[in-house]
Amino acid sequence: MAVMTLEEIKKGMDDKVFDKIVDVFLRQSDILAVLPFDDCVSAVGGGSTMKYKYMRKVLPAAAQFRKLYGTYTASTATKQDCEAALTIMGGALQIDRVLNKVAGRWDNLAYQIEEHIKAVVSLFHYTLINGDAVTSASTDGPEFEGLDSMLAGTTTEYGTDKAIDLSTITSLKSNADEFYEALMLLVKETQADALLMNTATIAKIQTVARVLGYKTETEESFGKKAVSLDGVRFMDLQNHYTVTGTGESAVATANAVVKKGISRKINKAETETTGLTDIYAVKFDVNDGFHGISLNGSSVVEKYLPDFSKPGPVKDAEVEMITATVLKNTQHAGVLRNIKISA
């Protein structure tokens, strides 16, 4: 078993083009910059399936006192047999060889590759949270299970019976301490390395931190500002873009990966509370936490670039990512539900 991050995989590749492509992935995704990958998945069943079988820790063992000549009540540390199938996600593009020949400062191929990488990252982020491996709505191929589904009904699913209102400055100041305590409980209980959320929620937490007197920003690689609290990184999973229609009638729609503006009935309320969102916590650990999986010996990210020296006026190119995410211990990931960030 080799456990590596994309950054470490990049260092082992003697390919300048691959380096640049992986750099784009790393710039576009905070989580891909640190997510460890277990690259031990092999194709089985004649190559038709690529599954990763693992045990998920659900409940710990119990201990107790006993009297002399008394006995202990037997307990069992509960593990659940789980499996995840690798998913294939990517994008294809076409470019005329003349456009490549006349490329000067504007490199159309590089631009198209980068834009398709952004689309792959967007899809990966979306599935990491919202993926449905059982009843996948995808018509193209199966999804892997997302954290929203993994954490439903677990002991680290918090805030299901009450909303914390941060929607206005007045309510934020009134509820800052309550929210901070709930957030720190999520972090401490899961031993989280990162909190996954949307842009609006990060802005709310930074306001809470300012109200309570905490600093949240430091500078990291690529010159970006890293937002964190007590050493726990805030990761903005940004928007997921979908395009409907074709040609001039095509329309792009952007929705936050970690949804904002959710409406829910809370604690048997007769009416729904609007403007809600959730915050996810993860501990990155390939043995006892949250991590990625990939093909045995794979680089996770693959490129297929055109050879302009061969005949044919229109060339094809593709970028592809073969992966999934798994959770080996439900105590090392969690979710804080029902944070009200808008009306």
Side-chain angles (χ1 to χ4, degrees):
M1 177 179 72
V3 179
M4 302 183 77
T5 63
L6 271 183
E7 181 67 41
E8 292 166 337
I9 292 170
K10 185 188 75 167
K11 291 177 181 177
M13 295 288 181
D14 187 19
D15 185 331
K16 292 182 179 179
V17 176
F18 180 82
D19 279 0
K20 291 180 180 179
I21 286 176
V22 174
D23 272 346
V24 177
F25 273 92
L26 296 177
R27 288 175 184 272
Q28 292 300 317
S29 176
D30 291 338
I31 194 167
L32 281 175
V34 295
L35 185 69
F37 288 89
D38 185 356
D39 74 336
C40 68
V41 182
S42 299
V44 296
S48 60
T49 60
M50 299 175 290
K51 292 187 176 180
Y52 180 88
K53 295 183 180 292
Y54 66 101
M55 300 292 289
R56 179 180 294 168
K57 185 176 178 180
V58 179
L59 290 173
Q64 64 186 118
F65 296 102
R66 72 173 182 86
K67 299 177 182 178
L68 284 172
Y69 301 104
T71 59
Y72 295 113
T73 301
S75 70
T76 303
T78 306
K79 287 194 172 185
Q80 177 183 1
D81 285 324
C82 296
E83 69 177 23
L86 285 178
T87 58
I88 307 169
M89 63 192 83
L93 63 102
Q94 291 184 321
I95 183 170
D96 193 292
R97 63 189 177 196
V98 173
L99 289 178
N100 182 69
K101 184 176 292 187
V102 300
R105 296 182 62 184
W106 175 259
D107 190 332
N108 192 60
L109 176 60
Y111 170 74
Q112 291 295 335
I113 290 289
E114 182 167 340
E115 290 300 302
H116 281 75
I117 290 172
K118 291 177 182 179
V120 174
V121 169
S122 165
L123 181 58
F124 174 73
H125 284 175
Y126 179 84
T127 311
L128 184 153
I129 297 295
N130 304 297
D132 185 347
V134 179
T135 58
S136 172
S138 173
T139 58
D140 301 318
E143 301 174 358
F144 55 89
E145 185 182 13
L147 285 168
D148 187 57
S149 172
M150 289 181 187
L151 296 170
T154 66
T155 58
T156 51
E157 184 185 28
Y158 300 101
T160 56
D161 59 349
K162 181 184 178 183
I164 300 178
D165 190 356
L166 306 179
S167 60
T168 66
I169 292 296
T170 301
S171 60
L172 183 148
K173 289 181 177 179
S174 297
N175 298 318
D177 286 305
E178 180 185 2
F179 170 73
Y180 181 79
E181 182 178 18
L183 190 65
M184 287 300 101
L185 176 65
L186 175 69
V187 167
K188 300 300 183 184
E189 288 287 351
T190 60
Q191 300 177 35
D193 295 313
L195 294 171
L196 314 180
M197 62 194 95
N198 56 50
T199 307
T201 306
I202 290 179
K204 290 290 184 183
I205 297 178
Q206 287 185 292
T207 303
V208 168
R210 187 169 66 251
V211 168
L212 298 178
Y214 293 100
K215 178 179 171 59
T216 60
E217 284 191 350
T218 56
E219 189 167 320
E220 60 154 18
S221 59
F222 300 120
K224 295 192 300 184
K225 291 288 186 181
V227 183
S228 62
L229 192 61
D230 286 353
V232 180
R233 176 77 176 272
F234 296 175
M235 293 188 175
D236 184 356
L237 297 190
Q238 303 172 337
N239 291 329
H240 178 51
Y241 294 89
T242 55
V243 179
T244 55
T246 58
E248 294 182 357
S249 62
V251 176
T253 304
N255 292 296
V257 167
V258 180
K259 298 173 184 176
K260 56 185 178 181
I262 298 171
S263 297
R264 290 188 181 127
K265 289 185 178 181
I266 301 173
N267 196 20
K268 301 180 181 179
E270 293 183 4
T271 58
E272 291 186 336
T273 301
T274 60
L276 302 173
T277 191
D278 303 325
I279 300 172
Y280 295 85
V282 290
K283 176 180 173 62
F284 301 119
D285 189 331
V286 78
N287 296 309
D288 196 37
F290 183 72
H291 66 91
I293 56 175
S294 61
L295 282 172
N296 188 11
S298 168
S299 59
V300 184
V301 174
E302 300 290 347
K303 69 180 190 316
Y304 301 93
L305 301 180
D307 184 349
F308 288 101
S309 67
K310 299 290 179 66
V314 180
K315 303 299 184 182
D316 296 316
E318 296 174 340
V319 290
E320 193 165 74
M321 189 174 181
I322 307 171
T323 190
T325 56
V326 300
L327 176 61
K328 287 183 176 170
N329 187 345
T330 58
Q331 297 300 304
H332 285 163
V335 57
L336 177 58
R337 306 280 191 195
N338 300 322
I339 307 303
K340 184 174 175 62
I341 60 171
S342 62

